[in-house]
Amino acid sequence: MFIGHYGPAVYDVLRTGKVKLWQAFLAVQAMDIVFCLLALFGIEGAASVVDGNLVFDIPWSHSLVSAIVIAFFVASIYRLTYRGNSGSMRGYWTMWLLAFSHWPLDWLVHRPDLPVYPGGEMMMGLSLWDFAWPTYGLEVLLLGGAIAFWLVKTKGPRWTAICAWLLVALLCAVQYFSVTKTTLNQQAGILDVTTLPSGVPFAVSGLAFYIFVANVIGWLENKRSYR
Ligand SMILES: [Zn+2]
């Protein structure tokens, strides 16, 4: 999953764990951020077609065990950074859940390339991405629903809502060109995997993307207050 990961990010909009939306935006993509960091050093990242399926080499960032470990890592960073915050233990588990939410959502859409542990033989993934347009709709709905919910639960200048929807539109476009179009091309038999973005440029643009999105939402979050 890609932009749909932002759906669960509004989990703590009622502020029980006092997790900020920009922090949640980074937490839900932590596994992909780890993937980008590993791709930077050539440890992960090569896409290939196995049995007609477009799969990724992501054993370290996307195994089930890694998801649990990364979630603890993310929650610990949050707790260490925001020690003394009254909601910090709630915040700790909120961040854990947000970071872990990445795995079940990826499991739904990925073709089998998610191992139980790094190096494990058994690969999981329900391949919903094979249904290019329904999964595009699902991801758009998860993101759009989350932003709509957040805008209802907060108040602020009208331009902040417009900017939030512009961000949604941008993400929908990125989703189409990076995931949907790739699937459609693969199904039409016109996908050349060697032309897929990879290596350092791919890793750097991925990291820049996640940081950019978190910054934009953090900036808008600062201009709005909770009702
Ligand atoms: Zn992922």
Side-chain angles (χ1 to χ4, degrees):
M1 190 159 282
F2 185 33
I3 65 170
H5 284 301
Y6 291 118
V10 289
Y11 169 76
D12 197 36
V13 137
L14 299 177
R15 316 282 289 128
T16 55
K18 295 195 171 71
V19 168
K20 293 213 164 81
L21 195 57
W22 70 265
Q23 295 163 340
F25 262 47
L26 287 175
V28 295
Q29 297 289 15
M31 288 177 67
D32 279 0
I33 291 170
V34 170
F35 161 72
C36 288
L37 290 172
L38 295 175
L40 207 55
F41 297 99
I43 300 167
E44 286 195 349
S48 56
V49 176
V50 177
D51 299 330
N53 289 319
L54 181 66
V55 293
F56 296 92
D57 181 33
I58 45 178
W60 292 98
S61 62
H62 278 69
S63 79
L64 178 57
V65 172
S66 311
I68 296 167
V69 172
I70 290 170
F72 276 117
F73 183 68
V74 166
S76 301
I77 292 177
Y78 177 82
R79 181 124 165 83
L80 286 172
T81 314
Y82 297 95
R83 227 179 344 208
N85 179 338
S86 58
S88 58
M89 211 51 216
R90 269 224 174 117
Y92 177 88
W93 288 111
T94 302
M95 287 296 270
W96 189 93
L97 268 177
L98 289 170
F100 183 75
S101 74
H102 190 101
W103 198 88
L105 289 175
D106 265 1
W107 172 69
L108 282 180
V109 297
H110 272 231
R111 290 90 186 189
D113 55 11
L114 307 170
V116 180
Y117 52 89
E121 296 269 288
M122 193 180 83
M123 294 294 180
M124 292 176 284
L126 295 185
S127 305
L128 282 191
W129 263 340
D130 286 345
F131 305 97
W133 285 113
T135 46
Y136 181 76
L138 174 71
E139 300 219 25
V140 168
L141 215 73
L142 278 166
L143 170 69
I147 294 297
F149 179 64
W150 176 65
L151 289 173
V152 166
K153 291 289 176 192
T154 56
K155 57 181 190 306
R158 179 187 280 262
W159 66 266
T160 54
I162 296 170
C163 283
W165 287 115
L166 285 175
L167 179 68
V168 170
L170 173 74
L171 292 180
C172 290
V174 175
Q175 173 83 25
Y176 173 76
F177 287 108
S178 64
V179 179
T180 312
K181 195 163 181 277
T182 306
T183 300
L184 294 172
N185 284 349
Q186 191 219 340
Q187 289 171 345
I190 53 169
L191 178 72
D192 177 2
V193 279
T194 58
T195 62
L196 286 177
S198 64
V200 174
F202 177 57
V204 171
S205 54
L207 286 172
F209 172 83
Y210 292 122
I211 292 168
F212 167 76
V213 174
N215 268 287
V216 172
I217 211 69
W219 169 60
L220 295 176
E221 188 178 26
N222 266 333
K223 308 286 178 197
R224 298 182 68 85
S225 56
Y226 286 87
R227 286 182 195 277

